[in-house]
């Protein structure tokens, strides 16, 4: 993980584009992107008020956004790119909590800038972020009711995300978690080619292992078994899901 900090850039509205969904372990695929509309529910006037108090920044691929143990200073709204949040145990082993896509914010739960971060965040690719300090966000919540609603809705979505993760880790075997992750990737990032669902391999085996709570070797062996069973096909660029029913 890089200790590079976000690079500040001039403020301005990002270019709107269709963006992929967030990814985290959950039984409820429809909930994955809940909370992504942090700014979209605001009027143009209110969005301008938010952007006026915020600071645009760019984080290069692999760069750190905030770090476990650091003091909370505010939140970062993802405008482009993907952000990973993760926890590192005393042994150094990491577990990925989620990949956040544009529209989501990271940096909670202390959105007003109290306490210390209990996990870290880094950029999976070059990211454009809008940073709102805790004091700025507190001022906006007091003055703009729709911002307060957006903050509450975002925190609700985050709470449901981490609750779903705990449920998956506590009640599913690692094999079941791997299959569920493949189903999530098929639903959020897959494209249909006849009866086959193609998922581009934008997530490495190491990253899959960090999500499901396993080793890279175990992930490799398990995916090979799924391929031998005719459920998936693997190559360097993609995972082809051939039998969605059996994956379920």
């Amino acid at each position: 993980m890089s200790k590079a900090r976000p690079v500040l850039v001039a403020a301005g509205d990002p270019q709107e584009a269709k963006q992929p969904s967030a990814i985290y372990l959950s039984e409820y695929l429809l909930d994955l992107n809940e909370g992504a509309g942090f700014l979209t529910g605001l009027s143009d006037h209110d969005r301008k008020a938010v952007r006026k108090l915020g600071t645009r920044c760019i984080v290069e691929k692999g760069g750190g956004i905030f770090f476990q143990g650091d003091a909370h200073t505010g939140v970062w709204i993802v405008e482009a790119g993907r952000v990973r949040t993760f926890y590192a145990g005393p042994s150094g082993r990491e577990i990925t909590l989620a990949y956040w896509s544009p529209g989501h914010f990271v940096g909670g739960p202390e959105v007003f800038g109290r306490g210390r971060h209990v996990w870290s965040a880094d950029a999976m690719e070059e990211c454009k972020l809008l940073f709102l300090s805790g004091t700025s966000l507190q001022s906006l919540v007091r003055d703009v009711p729709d911002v307060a609603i957006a903050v509450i809705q975002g925190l609700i979505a985050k709470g449901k995300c981490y609750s779903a993760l705990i449920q998956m880790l506590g009640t599913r075997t690692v094999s079941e978690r791997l299959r569920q992750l493949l189903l999530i990737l098929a639903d959020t990032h897959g494209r249909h080619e006849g009866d086959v669902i193609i998922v581009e391999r934008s997530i490495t085996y190491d990253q899959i292992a960090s999500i499901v709570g396993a080793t890279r070797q175990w992930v490799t062996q398990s995916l090979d078994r799924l391929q031998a069973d005719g459920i998936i096909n693997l190559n360097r660029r993609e995972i082809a899901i051939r039998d969605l029913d059996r994956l379920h």
Side-chain angles (χ1 to χ4, degrees), residues 61 111-112 201-202 246:
K61 181 179 179 179
V111 295
F112 298 137
R201 283 182 56 176
S202 59
R246 289 177 66 198

Side-chain angles (χ1 to χ4, degrees), residues 43-64:
S43 67
D44 289 342
H45 178 270
D46 290 345
R47 273 198 296 273
K48 288 178 181 177
V50 171
R51 295 192 184 284
K52 185 176 180 179
L53 289 179
T55 304
R56 294 282 303 287
C57 54
I58 292 176
V59 184
E60 299 297 330
K61 181 179 179 179

Side-chain angles (χ1 to χ4, degrees), residues 28-238:
Y28 310 106
L29 302 187
L30 294 178
D31 289 346
L32 289 175
N33 225 32
E34 188 175 341
F38 189 78
L39 294 180
T40 55
L42 303 180
S43 67
D44 289 342
H45 178 270
D46 290 345
R47 273 198 296 273
K48 288 178 181 177
V50 171
R51 295 192 184 284
K52 185 176 180 179
L53 289 179
T55 304
R56 294 282 303 287
C57 54
I58 292 176
V59 184
E60 299 297 330
K61 181 179 179 179
I65 299 168
F66 59 83
F67 302 95
Q68 195 170 314
D70 282 0
H72 278 278
T73 56
V75 300
W76 290 260
I77 301 171
V78 183
E79 296 190 326
R82 291 181 303 153
V83 172
R84 177 180 73 125
T85 51
F86 63 96
Y87 172 79
S91 67
R93 183 177 177 182
E94 295 179 0
I95 183 166
T96 293
L97 306 175
Y99 289 93
W100 298 109
S101 54
H104 291 278
F105 72 84
V106 296
E110 296 281 5
V111 295
F112 298 137
R114 305 186 188 95
R116 296 191 176 275
H117 289 287
V118 294
W119 52 73
S120 302
D122 60 11
M124 298 305 298
E125 55 202 59
E126 182 180 275
C127 290
K128 295 180 180 179
L129 310 170
L130 178 69
F131 174 70
L132 287 170
S133 70
T135 53
S136 294
L137 190 57
Q138 199 165 47
S139 175
L140 284 165
V141 164
R142 289 194 177 107
D143 296 339
V144 185
D146 283 344
V147 171
I149 292 172
V151 170
I152 292 169
Q153 290 175 335
L155 290 174
I156 289 171
K158 292 288 189 291
K160 292 172 71 174
C161 158
Y162 295 123
S163 175
L165 175 61
I166 291 169
Q167 291 168 356
M168 290 290 294
L169 292 174
T171 63
R172 297 287 193 98
T173 67
V174 66
S175 295
E176 290 171 332
R177 296 198 294 268
L178 176 60
R179 286 171 177 258
Q180 184 67 9
L181 178 60
L182 291 174
L183 291 171
I184 288 170
L185 292 174
D187 184 72
T188 59
H189 289 68
R191 71 176 190 275
H192 288 263
E193 293 187 0
D195 294 331
V196 178
I197 301 174
I198 305 297
V199 179
E200 301 292 336
R201 283 182 56 176
S202 59
I203 297 180
T204 67
Y205 285 5
D206 282 325
Q207 291 163 350
I208 290 174
S210 181
I211 294 173
V212 302
T215 64
R216 186 191 188 284
Q217 181 182 17
W218 181 90
V219 168
T220 301
Q221 293 171 346
S222 297
L223 291 174
D224 286 344
R225 283 195 295 271
L226 290 173
Q227 180 167 243
D229 290 340
I231 297 174
I232 64 174
N233 277 351
L234 302 168
N235 63 42
R236 290 180 178 272
R237 294 180 300 172
E238 61 192 27

